[in-house]
Amino acid sequence: CADFDAQCGTTLVDVNQVDGDAAATDALGWLLFRAADLPGHATVTVRVSRTEPGEATVELRANAPDGPILAGANVPSTGGRYAWTETSAEFRSEPGIADLYVVLRGAQRIHEFRIAAKCLTDRSA
C-alpha cells in the first residue's frame, strides 16, 4: 500500500519490527491510486490489523473519496499492530481505467490489497 499516488489522513508505518511499509489512520483516511485498471466483477482481499475494539471498515471507491463504492469490508480487531489478518469482499465496477480510493474508516493499518478478477463462464453451451 505504500505505492499510492496521494493520501489524506494516513501515515506510513512499519509492517513488523524489522521492515515493511503499511498505511495507518487513527479515524479516517484514504489512499489514492491514479488510473487503476478496474477489472469489473472481482474479489478484493485486504491485509489489515487493528488494535482497538469497535467498528472499522475499508472501502474501495471510484474517482473520489466519497465516490461510488466498489467494495467494502469490515476490519476486525486483531489484538496488535503486527497481528495481521485478511478480509475479503465482492468488487464490482465497470471495467476500465479510474482513480481508485482506498478509504479507511476507524483506527487501523493496511498492508496490502489485491483485486482478483472472477472468471465468468457461459453455461448456455
Side-chain angles (χ1 to χ4, degrees), residues 2 10 23 28 113 116:
T10 66
L28 175 64
F113 70 96

Side-chain angles (χ1 to χ4, degrees), residues 37-45 90-91 95 114-120:
D37 188 4
L38 304 181
H41 192 122
T43 299
V44 62
T45 303
E90 292 294 312
F91 180 93
R114 296 179 307 277
I115 301 172
K118 290 191 174 189
C119 296
L120 300 178

Side-chain angles (χ1 to χ4, degrees), residues 54-74:
E55 294 184 18
T57 60
V58 59
E59 302 166 346
L60 276 65
R61 293 180 172 263
N63 298 318
D66 60 351
I69 190 163
L70 307 175
N74 291 325

Side-chain angles (χ1 to χ4, degrees), residues 34-116:
R34 292 190 198 281
D37 188 4
L38 304 181
H41 192 122
T43 299
V44 62
T45 303
V46 293
R47 187 168 186 238
V48 292
S49 72
R50 177 171 166 75
T51 59
E52 300 179 19
E55 294 184 18
T57 60
V58 59
E59 302 166 346
L60 276 65
R61 293 180 172 263
N63 298 318
D66 60 351
I69 190 163
L70 307 175
N74 291 325
V75 176
S77 176
T78 61
R81 65 183 184 186
Y82 302 128
W84 298 94
T85 190
E86 289 188 349
T87 186
S88 298
E90 292 294 312
F91 180 93
R92 293 192 182 263
S93 71
E94 291 296 319
I97 304 298
D99 288 345
L100 181 64
Y101 285 80
V102 178
V103 179
L104 309 172
R105 298 183 187 278
Q108 62 182 289
R109 293 170 151 229
I110 182 169
H111 176 234
E112 66 182 6
F113 70 96
R114 296 179 307 277
I115 301 172

